[in-house]
Amino acid sequence: MLNTYIYADLTPEKMADLLDRNTDPNHAIQDTVLSIIEDVQQHGDAALKSYAKQFDKVELEKLYLDSDDIDNLAMTISRDQMRALEIAFQNIHKFHQTQLKRERTVETMPGVKCWREVRPIEKVGLYIPGGSAVLPSTLLMLGVPARIAGCKEIVVCSPPQNNGKINGFVAYCLKLLKIDKIYLVGGAQAVAAMAFGTQSIPKVNKIFGPGNQFVTKAKGIIQGMTDVSIDMPAGPSEVLVIADETANPAYVAADLLAQAEHGIDSQAVLVTTSSQLADQVNQELKAQLDVLPRKELAAKAIENSYTVVTDNIQEAMDFSNRYAPEHLIIESDDWKPLINKVQNAGSVFLGHLTPESAGDYASGTNHTLPTSGYARSYSGVSVDSFVKKITFQHITEQGLDQIGSTIEILAELEGLQAHKNAVSIRKKKQ
């Protein structure tokens, strides 16, 4: 079960070790990913089909499914499943719709007006993982804000199933999003295909979506070698649960295991003010783990996770902010005063009845979030992620009279005479 550490006893070295989530210390993943990127650049579709055979164990005649394929697959799921996806779609749309707001025009001086306008990123690429777990929810989390933003072209890539297709849940989400094509490409090769373009897959302007270590590494590499940007580093999933003596150990264990079942490189951390609760959670972990279908996978993730016992809630918050978790759950009766103490987290779940699963699927917030400590500087995906904000300004004669001499003086002191002249010539023409 979870290894336990006492916060007061942690040395700086041990603290750094607990906070570190470096999953590629010897650069083995980077070397593999670089090789894949180069192969896709040089050989395009042929490389993608070769990787499908190697990694996905399928031979593909074509690299995409069209609208007829998607319609047929979408009809294979039950009405209850369709309804669940529809509710999730509606809640995600309702939450993200509020993020698209027009900013007001500011008159910084009389006759000098400045403002910003929103423009969608024209071509976006969405990566939908399909390894140990297929995630139609991720398609909704990325597709909904892309649609709200007004992106003209949405390119979706996801690994093929062993029958050379996608599952019906992903297909139904494509229909909800009015996307009529999906490319059967996974892993680092999908990132490379969207970054450079191939015979079948269009080049995009920005790539979104979580994935394994190879996908995350590929996103970082292509951002440094192309004009394509990425949403954020979003790799192996993680959760940190802050729990005091009021927490229910069964709930805490369930939340930890919900994260652990993502994959063996996921991490589930418990930070608690109660050593008794820590022991109870370990007992619950064992009992709940035994009945999970993915128990072997989750057990390995738990082995790489741990508990930190603190003397008080402030220490718990301090550790959490240093860890900067993707998901932060605060299981306490007294959670409201702790909101302002959260400095670094991707998404926060408050109280005993708010499992992280709610945000993963249907409450409305986005589940594509920064991992590995990147919550210190990155936000989760939102409508803002799919748009550019362009500044505009307009200066009247009055405005030029007001601001002109200031510009001339500043240009002159920087030694940029042409900058000064651009103002002076206009003043003379008035």
Side-chain angles (χ1 to χ4, degrees):
M1 292 296 99
L2 294 173
N3 291 321
T4 300
Y5 301 93
I6 305 300
Y7 183 82
D9 296 339
L10 292 175
T11 64
E13 294 76 18
K14 188 59 185 177
M15 176 71 78
D17 182 54
L18 291 180
L19 298 176
D20 181 42
R21 280 95 91 194
N22 184 353
T23 54
D24 189 24
N26 299 317
H27 304 292
I29 292 174
Q30 177 166 306
D31 292 343
T32 300
V33 169
L34 282 168
S35 175
I36 291 172
I37 290 173
E38 183 179 355
D39 191 15
V40 173
Q41 275 186 279
Q42 293 181 359
H43 302 108
D45 284 1
L48 299 178
K49 289 179 180 179
S50 176
Y51 287 124
K53 185 175 181 179
Q54 179 182 347
F55 296 131
D56 305 309
K57 311 303 179 188
V58 295
E59 293 196 38
L60 299 175
E61 292 184 13
K62 61 178 184 177
L63 287 169
Y64 63 89
L65 300 177
D66 59 21
S67 58
D68 288 340
D69 298 320
I70 292 168
D71 287 344
N72 292 333
L73 288 165
M75 295 307 296
T76 63
I77 69 175
S78 72
R79 182 59 237 173
D80 285 345
Q81 292 165 337
M82 290 180 184
R83 183 58 183 151
L85 290 170
E86 288 164 5
I87 291 171
F89 172 86
Q90 292 161 7
N91 288 350
I92 296 165
H93 193 280
K94 188 180 298 183
F95 177 76
H96 287 77
Q97 183 68 48
T98 65
Q99 298 167 8
L100 197 60
K101 296 179 180 178
R102 182 178 177 84
E103 299 180 17
R104 68 185 182 91
T105 299
V106 178
E107 191 170 37
T108 57
M109 299 182 78
V112 180
K113 292 184 177 181
C114 303
W115 68 96
R116 293 200 306 177
E117 292 195 10
V118 173
R119 299 291 185 271
I121 297 172
E122 292 184 80
K123 296 181 180 181
V124 296
L126 313 184
Y127 180 72
I128 313 304
S132 60
V134 179
L135 303 177
S137 56
T138 297
L139 180 54
L140 294 179
M141 295 292 176
L142 299 176
V144 167
R147 278 293 183 221
I148 291 172
C151 299
K152 291 181 180 177
E153 187 169 359
I154 301 175
V155 176
V156 181
C157 286
S158 191
Q161 304 291 286
N162 55 18
N163 62 358
K165 299 184 183 298
I166 56 171
N167 70 24
F169 309 114
V170 172
Y172 194 70
C173 290
L174 290 169
K175 286 180 64 63
L176 291 172
L177 293 164
K178 296 180 170 57
I179 296 172
D180 59 9
K181 182 179 285 189
I182 183 170
Y183 295 94
L184 302 169
V185 186
Q189 58 272 27
V191 175
M194 291 187 284
F196 297 102
T198 72
Q199 295 87 340
S200 295
I201 301 178
K203 172 182 166 66
V204 302
N205 304 124
K206 189 172 183 179
I207 296 174
F208 295 80
N212 60 20
Q213 299 171 38
F214 294 90
V215 170
T216 303
K217 186 69 68 175
K219 287 169 67 179
I221 291 171
I222 64 97
Q223 184 172 228
M225 65 187 296
T226 72
D227 58 354
V228 176
S229 64
I230 65 169
D231 50 356
M232 74 190 83
S237 196
E238 60 195 31
V239 68
L240 187 146
V241 179
I242 293 176
D244 61 15
E245 66 281 355
T246 68
N248 184 320
Y251 295 176
V252 174
D255 289 333
L256 295 170
L257 288 172
Q259 202 62 222
E261 72 174 352
H262 273 295
I264 60 174
D265 50 5
S266 296
Q267 193 168 66
V269 176
L270 170 61
V271 182
T272 180
T273 56
S274 169
S275 56
Q276 181 181 0
L277 179 78
D279 292 338
Q280 293 171 331
V281 168
N282 266 338
Q283 294 171 15
E284 280 289 337
L285 283 172
K286 187 177 186 307
Q288 294 184 31
L289 192 59
D290 284 342
V291 298
L292 286 180
R294 296 162 65 89
K295 64 181 179 181
E296 292 182 6
L297 185 151
K300 289 180 180 178
I302 290 295
E303 287 176 11
N304 298 322
S305 303
Y306 56 86
T307 295
V308 175
V309 178
T310 65
D311 287 335
N312 53 63
I313 201 68
Q314 184 59 54
E315 287 183 350
M317 296 303 303
D318 288 345
F319 184 88
S320 176
N321 283 324
R322 294 183 68 176
Y323 185 91
E326 176 191 17
H327 305 102
L328 170 61
I329 303 175
I330 301 178
E331 302 203 29
S332 169
D333 285 348
D334 198 24
W335 52 266
K336 287 185 180 178
L338 302 180
I339 293 176
N340 288 337
K341 295 181 182 293
V342 178
Q343 297 298 319
N344 301 317
S347 191
V348 185
F349 304 80
L350 301 165
H352 302 300
L353 301 180
T354 315
E356 184 266 327
S357 306
D360 267 354
Y361 293 112
S363 60
T365 61
N366 208 288
H367 80 199
T368 309
L369 303 165
T371 66
S372 303
Y374 283 104
R376 300 183 191 100
S377 54
Y378 282 84
S379 305
V381 162
S382 67
V383 173
D384 282 347
S385 308
F386 291 88
V387 302
K388 306 159 294 182
K389 296 186 177 181
I390 304 171
T391 57
F392 293 79
Q393 54 195 280
H394 177 256
I395 299 176
T396 64
E397 287 186 16
Q398 179 190 21
L400 194 62
D401 288 338
Q402 290 277 331
I403 201 172
S405 60
T406 297
I407 300 169
E408 288 176 312
I409 292 169
L410 293 175
E412 193 167 49
L413 70 83
E414 291 190 351
L416 300 174
Q417 188 63 39
H419 280 63
K420 178 184 177 182
N421 291 344
V423 173
S424 301
I425 196 170
R426 287 173 166 81
K427 290 173 68 175
K428 290 176 182 176
K429 291 289 184 180
Q430 290 188 54

